[in-house]
Amino acid sequence: MSDLCDFPQLLGRQGVKPTVLRLAVLEVLGSSPRALRAQEILETIRAHRRVNKVTVYRILDDFTRRGILRRLALEDRASHYELACEHHPPHPHFQCHHCGQVQCLEPAPLDRMWAELQGPLGNRADRIDIRVEGVCHKCREIS
Amino acid sequence: MSDLCDFPQLLGRQGVKPTVLRLAVLEVLGSSPRALRAQEILETIRAHRRVNKVTVYRILDDFTRRGILRRLALEDRASHYELACEHHPPHPHFQCHHCGQVQCLEPAPLDRMWAELQGPLGNRADRIDIRVEGVCHKCREIS
DNA sequence: ATGCAGATTCAACTGAGTTGCAAGTATAAT
DNA sequence: ATTATACTTGCAACTCAGTTGAATCTGCAT
Ligand SMILES: [Mn+2]
Ligand SMILES: [Mn+2]
Ligand SMILES: [Zn+2]
Ligand SMILES: [Zn+2]
């Protein structure tokens, strides 16, 4: 969703070389309004250049471990990825179980919910993922 | 988590024959304190009888579509399953990213959160999934 | 030019789940 | 009891989304 970030600089701060493919992954995600599957990222890059899928998987994995990307576990078997920079704070997602579309929801309520969940345990919470499942407005019109 | 349900009756209400394997799946899940992977269910049943994995996957799939079970999409690639009967209302889950353990959290805050998420859309929400990721108390002690 | 580390590729593999069809089993007619 | 029918289970082969290890390539420093 909108590339406001300076990707070469972002990689520089992480001590990672801004290679063509690493930048390509970030640019594809930066210009997408929604989270993407590895497969979609691969195909988008391949419209312009030659890439091996292993390279893309390794970049996605590395970036996720570094916190540059977030990996979303949705109902599909394939993970979805999105930028995790300051312009895209963590937020809930909506997935239509009719067309499969994934939408990003507003980040607002997350902090409040975090507090409500701390529960009875000695566990340490690092991250909270909220996924709403239902039927999107487009699919509602059709049926 | 505790088998308070009459499984044969439960299946009867759904118009499904209470076969040995279908009951076995429900009993394994009914006596587990946590959500289980298909693989774990399969192995537990195999301690007592002969089963093909396809049968277990088909039963899990059928039960999930009927609303007898809930399928949880966690960080792992494998789905987890839990009973969805009246004794186990929907609730958030905690997953330790050190040992992978999945814990069920208290169901209380769900309704409140549901309201807060309705957002700017014409979407219809059918279900909300909350997953907290962190380090469980056991893994915290160790490290 | 040469050497080296990191980046990319290739082929082969894994693990979770799916598919189509054959075989088994229960129930219902005859 | 015998057959017909539907439903359930099993088997083999397949798909899909990654993962692994080793080989090559590339940019950069000496
Ligand atoms: Mn998002
Ligand atoms: Mn649970
Ligand atoms: Zn839709
Ligand atoms: Zn743990």
Side-chain angles (χ1 to χ4, degrees), chain A residues 19 22 50 52 55 58 77:
Chain A
T19 67
R22 294 211 251 246
R50 187 166 168 285
N52 189 275
T55 307
R58 291 214 252 245
R77 298 241 275 111

Side-chain angles (χ1 to χ4, degrees), chain B residues 82 91 93 104:
Chain B
E82 64 182 7
H91 49 266
H93 291 88
C104 303

Side-chain angles (χ1 to χ4, degrees), chain B residues 33-35 70 72 82-83 88-89 91-93 102-105:
Chain B
R34 59 182 185 83
R70 270 188 299 269
L72 312 178
E82 64 182 7
L83 290 180
H88 307 92
H91 49 266
H93 291 88
V102 179
Q103 294 172 35
C104 303
L105 301 182

